Amino acid sequence: MSASTTSPRTVICVGDVHGYIAKLESLWSNLQATLPADAFAAALVIFLGDYNDRGPHTREVIDFLLALPARHPAQRHVFLCGNHDLAFAAFVGELPPPPDGSPFSATWEEYIHNEEHEGWFRGQGYEGMHVQGRRWGGVIKERWNPKKGLPYRGSIYDAQPTFESYGVAHGSPDLAKAVPEEHKRFLRDLVWIHEEENVPIDTDEGRIICNLIAVHAGLEKSIDLNEQLRVLRTRDTRVPKVPMLSGRQDVWNTPKDLTGKQTIVVSGHHGQLHIDSLRFIIDEGGGYEDKPIAAIVFPSKTLIRSTE
């Protein structure tokens, strides 16, 4: 499609926050200072997920996000679900129920061989918990994460700082009581995909108008696209592990079904920046203390970072 002659709207995609409130505040200030006032005021802002874990201030991060609609009433705000957010929601009982009425315990079987190694949660309420909630609230036996070169923080998800931000010990079932109702609603309402039409983007050949798909990790190249979209749109919690929210290798590229269809695919999750044509991975921080949170602004493809 060719670009329209009207002023282009601004779309901002914000990478993983992971409990770092000072970085989020810094990034937001830098966005506001860098963009034209009218563009920022009316922007569509898509947060790409993973608001909790690793950093120390999950509670404050969610408070910040919940306050945005009142602070910026002309903006639109989209909050995607990341794999860490899904697991948090699962632990505190805020995942949508499986559409076929099956119990969450049906999600355990595929990964049950990992239960002992990962130290899955077995406290009060575990019997009715999605597998990712059990992994999130468990205690991993290994203390060192070789992939990150850092110690694990409580569980395979590094969830201990999230528990502590709400004033309870890691793995405590009391977290469900400590999380405020408005935070539970936030977790309950997170979307697994956002699809947007008529998004302008500047390319070497000029400005074009695209569709945009935002999903936390990306779209799988080896799974039927329509099936992926069904799982994401319906938030199908029968799936024990959602590749589009938690995958690594197979979600890197744009699926062949979207090739040539001028569709932007944007995600976070991967702990790095990657831009290849219309495929964008925006997660410079990765939950590391010494790395910034990044955002990308369309149509210009400007990258803006926290400077905290």
Side-chain angles (χ1 to χ4, degrees), residues 32 34 37 49 88 94 114 160 163 200 202 257 272 277 292 296 307:
Q32 194 161 11
T34 303
F88 181 10
E94 296 301 331
N114 291 333
Q160 182 175 335
F163 281 84
D202 293 337
D257 289 349
Q272 59 183 290
S277 186
I296 192 165
T307 48

Side-chain angles (χ1 to χ4, degrees), residues 207-279:
R207 181 170 291 165
I208 60 174
I209 304 298
C210 294
N211 294 326
L212 180 146
I213 295 175
V215 57
H216 179 65
L219 294 171
E220 283 256 348
K221 61 183 179 182
S222 59
I223 299 176
D224 176 74
L225 178 62
N226 288 330
E227 174 60 13
Q228 293 184 69
L229 295 176
R230 183 200 65 76
V231 168
L232 293 167
R233 289 166 178 164
T234 63
R235 302 190 296 168
D236 189 345
T237 54
R238 292 174 296 182
V239 180
K241 189 175 183 180
V242 183
M244 298 77 76
L245 304 188
S246 60
R248 293 292 178 187
Q249 287 79 30
D250 211 30
V251 293
W252 198 260
N253 299 311
T254 300
K256 62 181 184 298
D257 289 349
L258 293 175
T259 302
K261 294 186 178 179
Q262 291 189 312
T263 300
I264 300 165
V265 179
V266 61
S267 68
H269 182 64
H270 296 279
Q272 59 183 290
L273 296 175
H274 172 78
I275 298 174
D276 181 14
S277 186
L278 297 180
R279 178 69 176 104

Side-chain angles (χ1 to χ4, degrees), residues 15 37 45-46 52 139 156 160 175 182:
V45 187
I46 302 171
N52 53 283
V139 178
I156 196 77
Q160 182 175 335
L175 181 66
E182 58 268 28

